[in-house]
Amino acid sequence: MPLQIKTFSCRSDNFGFLAHDEATGETAAIDAPHAGPIIDALEAEGWRLTHLLITHHHADHTEGLAELKAKYGCTAYGPMAEVDRIAGLDELLDASHMLDLGETRLEIIETPGHTLGHICYFDPTGLSLFCGDALFSLGCGRMFEGSPEPMWEGLKRLRALPDETMVHCGHEYTIANARFAMSIDPDNGALKRRAAEAQTLRDAGKATVPFRLGDDKKANPFLRADDPGLMAKMGMAGAQPFEVFAAIRKAKDSF
Ligand code: ZN
Ligand code: FE
């Protein structure tokens, strides 16, 4: 049986996610923006938290960790490279690890840049990606700690996943991301469609997450830094893709 996934909002614009294995009853929360909404979501489903999967050390992804561990005695997993920055981790992960959640084996993908140790969790059978603040719908996380080349390499690892992958990212940022993307890539039909779809969803009070990775590959400028057309639009034909990525990231920071 594939994992059952529940998406809900936390804090102002964070998402919380639960992944549940029906056969064993094991249930993971991906990130811990705030304990309250996660507890509410668990209780609404009648699920018991056994795993807490942290993507990176920022407070809006870890603040509920201590309270959830105290309440459920769950095991907290997180990035090995951020062990000094996240209190209460029990198991440390990098790309050499797999993580079993009931009958499903999750892969760990390293995506440094937003934070240096940022990791993502990927279910290759159910095709679900939990990517924290590494990748957003039509955008990516701000580069707080890393440098452009490893961050671009991390995004390429995510881009290499199957088109049918459903992306569960940490924030509802799609409308603002679409506005920026349209400013640098206004003739991209796939982007125009995604921007319009996102607006329709938001107008109806619905979330734009999760979204299909294949759609984002064609529309998200941060996944298209090696596209010759976009490179030319950035005035960077012939540059290294990571340099184009850096220029797009910088432009977004001051947009
Ligand atoms: Zn963050
Ligand atoms: Fe965040």
Side-chain angles (χ1 to χ4, degrees):
M1 276 279 282
L3 292 170
Q4 282 173 253
I5 296 168
K6 185 179 170 90
T7 301
F8 48 97
S9 51
C10 282
R11 303 173 78 105
S12 56
D13 55 28
N14 279 79
F15 287 108
F17 304 104
L18 296 177
H20 175 75
D21 180 71
E22 191 62 43
T24 60
E26 289 189 349
T27 304
I30 295 85
D31 281 336
H34 205 64
I38 296 174
I39 294 168
D40 291 346
L42 286 160
E43 289 179 352
E45 299 295 333
W47 296 344
R48 186 185 165 74
L49 193 68
T50 53
H51 297 58
L52 186 48
L53 313 182
I54 302 292
T55 59
H56 68 294
H57 68 78
H58 287 158
D60 63 312
H61 299 259
T62 56
E63 200 175 277
L65 188 156
E67 189 177 337
L68 291 169
K69 267 185 75 171
K71 185 171 169 70
Y72 296 103
C74 56
T75 306
Y77 298 78
M80 184 169 300
E82 296 187 357
V83 59
D84 295 336
R85 308 198 62 173
I86 306 171
L89 291 183
D90 302 301
E91 299 284 343
L92 304 176
L93 302 170
D94 63 23
S96 70
H97 294 92
M98 304 275 197
L99 165 62
D100 287 330
L101 181 63
E103 297 176 332
T104 299
R105 178 156 286 187
L106 301 175
E107 296 173 3
I108 311 302
I109 302 172
E110 293 177 16
T111 48
H114 178 68
T115 65
L116 275 178
H118 194 297
I119 57 173
C120 301
Y121 299 85
F122 177 58
D123 167 7
T125 4
L127 295 181
S128 293
L129 173 69
F130 300 95
C131 59
D133 292 353
L135 174 69
F136 296 126
S137 173
L138 302 178
C140 75
R142 204 175 265 259
M143 191 172 67
F144 282 120
E145 295 179 8
S147 52
E149 193 165 9
M151 188 166 183
W152 167 243
E153 291 302 319
L155 287 173
K156 279 204 294 181
R157 277 176 211 124
L158 301 184
R159 188 178 70 174
L161 301 175
D163 284 355
E164 297 310 319
T165 301
M166 292 305 289
V167 182
H168 301 73
C169 63
H171 292 270
E172 178 64 67
Y173 288 162
T174 312
I175 297 295
N177 287 342
R179 213 169 286 139
F180 168 73
M182 292 286 288
S183 77
I184 60 167
D185 198 12
D187 308 321
N188 182 332
L191 170 57
K192 285 190 218 170
R193 273 195 299 282
R194 288 286 306 291
E197 277 167 23
Q199 193 61 56
T200 304
L201 285 167
R202 297 305 291 146
D203 288 347
K206 292 182 184 153
T208 62
V209 173
F211 58 95
R212 190 178 164 277
L213 182 60
D215 297 334
D216 214 52
K217 290 181 193 180
K218 293 185 227 149
N220 184 337
F222 295 100
L223 295 180
R224 301 179 65 250
D226 52 0
D227 177 88
L230 188 55
M231 292 171 101
K233 279 182 193 148
M234 293 298 293
M236 296 183 78
Q240 293 287 327
F242 79 86
E243 295 170 328
V244 180
F245 166 76
I248 299 172
R249 189 54 266 176
K250 196 158 173 244
K252 172 73 164 67
D253 289 345
S254 56
F255 181 69

